[in-house]
Amino acid sequence: MAIDPSLKSHPLYPAWMEFQAADVAYRRMVACGVGNFEEYELAWRELLGRIERVWAKTEAAVMAMPGWQKVKSDVTRLRRSDPLLLYLFQARNVDEHSIAPLAKENDMNLQAKVTENGRVQLSWDPWDRPLLPVANRGVVYQPPRMHLGASIAPLLGKGKAEPRVVAELGMQFYINFLNRVSTEVVRQLT
């Protein structure tokens, strides 16, 4: 997709480009499905870094603008207290500063049983890709089960990839964040 050259001068353009790169990583996660776990985990790790850079590049672009301090205060409070946002941040830190795994391939528990008529019947558990707890500076952060005060448990469980669910919710949060900054901070200048 070609980018309108006039958008390159917008203060949030670098943050938007990071968000676009996070979306590409997310799409790679989706495309992997139950296929190659290494590619899936690589895309997950890239998404974690890109989504954190959305925050960093936004802050760098608007730090001196009126209205930023209020938005920053609100969002920083959420980033430090919301289980999903905190997990995303800490998982990115673990990825950046350690060699610890962030997700694991599910053991499908494949079983073969011979039936009475001599046929082989296969059974297996629904696949998933569970997130792992991450430890940073001696603090362990469990995979999130809450986001913005609501349970995300119905979105998780067997047959659903936790990194993908968490990625979707995180990306939704950060696109809303970019929209808020665009509306409450950048628009004040025009």
Side-chain angles (χ1 to χ4, degrees), residues 38 49-51 56 62 70 94 132 136 142 151 159 174 178-179:
E38 288 77 21
R50 297 291 185 166
I51 209 110
V62 301
K70 169 147 181 29
V94 166
L132 298 173
N136 191 17
Q142 295 297 325
S151 173
Y174 281 99
L178 284 173
N179 286 332

Side-chain angles (χ1 to χ4, degrees), residues 6-109:
S6 67
L7 294 178
K8 290 182 178 178
S9 64
H10 191 282
L12 296 178
Y13 179 79
W16 173 248
M17 294 308 296
E18 290 295 340
F19 187 85
Q20 293 285 61
D23 186 55
V24 169
Y26 172 76
R27 290 174 191 273
R28 284 196 348 253
M29 289 172 68
V30 171
C32 286
V34 293
N36 187 316
F37 179 70
E38 288 77 21
E39 288 179 25
Y40 183 90
E41 187 181 30
L42 185 62
W44 168 237
R45 289 173 182 271
E46 182 168 342
L47 183 137
L48 290 169
R50 297 291 185 166
I51 209 110
E52 186 57 28
R53 283 193 288 276
V54 169
W55 168 262
K57 290 185 184 266
T58 300
E59 183 174 34
V62 301
M63 68 174 34
M65 294 182 185
W68 168 243
Q69 287 306 314
K70 169 147 181 29
V71 173
K72 178 183 178 181
S73 176
D74 292 348
V75 176
T76 297
R77 188 176 328 101
L78 283 173
R79 284 171 41 96
R80 290 180 181 161
S81 64
D82 180 77
L84 187 136
L85 300 176
L86 187 58
Y87 184 88
L88 286 171
F89 177 66
Q90 293 301 331
R92 177 262 170 210
N93 286 344
V94 166
D95 178 47
E96 193 71 22
H97 305 292
S98 80
I99 59 170
L102 301 176
K104 70 175 189 166
E105 184 70 91
N106 186 44
D107 177 5
M108 303 278 286
N109 191 22

Side-chain angles (χ1 to χ4, degrees), residues 112-178:
K113 180 171 80 174
V114 179
T115 63
E116 291 176 5
N117 63 6
R119 295 182 150 201
V120 176
Q121 179 181 25
L122 296 176
S123 65
W124 57 89
D125 293 339
W127 71 275
D128 65 357
R129 291 205 162 122
L131 286 171
L132 298 173
V134 294
N136 191 17
R137 298 181 186 224
V139 178
V140 176
Y141 300 88
Q142 295 297 325
R145 297 296 179 256
M146 299 285 291
H147 179 51
L148 302 177
S151 173
I152 63 170
L155 303 174
L156 303 170
K158 289 290 186 186
K160 299 176 183 173
E162 288 184 20
R164 188 170 152 190
V165 171
V166 170
E168 288 173 10
L169 294 170
M171 289 184 59
Q172 184 63 52
F173 177 85
Y174 281 99
I175 195 65
N176 290 340
F177 163 69
L178 284 173

